[in-house]
Amino acid sequence: MLRIVAIALTTATLAACASHPSPDAAATSATPASAATNVLAGTPMAAYGHDLNKAKRVQDVVNEQAKKQAAQIDAATGSSG
């Protein structure tokens, strides 16, 4: 019984602390990408497809920065790797 009360209290505390975006902010951030770039367009998972595309673009930026940094390190150390 004590275990159930502890779990319920913990769950309620975590739920109360969770940040909930305003309805206006949620509507604008969940705008799905076009069908040309979002393979999930027209499905209930369209917002996920938008987030997936955004993550891919961020990863592309990180990869480009890593390539530039590696080129700078190679130039500074004389490596040809």
Side-chain angles (χ1 to χ4, degrees), residues 8-30:
L9 182 60
T10 303
T11 304
T13 303
L14 290 174
C17 293
S19 64
H20 301 287
S22 66
D24 294 334
T28 58
S29 66

Side-chain angles (χ1 to χ4, degrees), residues 60-75:
D60 290 341
V61 170
V62 170
N63 290 345
E64 285 299 316
Q65 290 175 343
K67 286 179 187 177
K68 288 179 184 178
Q69 185 179 19
Q72 289 175 344
I73 291 171
D74 288 345

Side-chain angles (χ1 to χ4, degrees), residues 46-66:
Y48 171 76
H50 173 70
D51 293 340
L52 182 63
N53 289 336
K54 185 177 178 181
K56 287 179 181 179
R57 288 191 304 270
V58 169
Q59 186 62 49
D60 290 341
V61 170
V62 170
N63 290 345
E64 285 299 316
Q65 290 175 343

Side-chain angles (χ1 to χ4, degrees), residues 35-48:
T37 60
N38 188 352
V39 296
L40 300 172
T43 68
M45 296 294 290
Y48 171 76

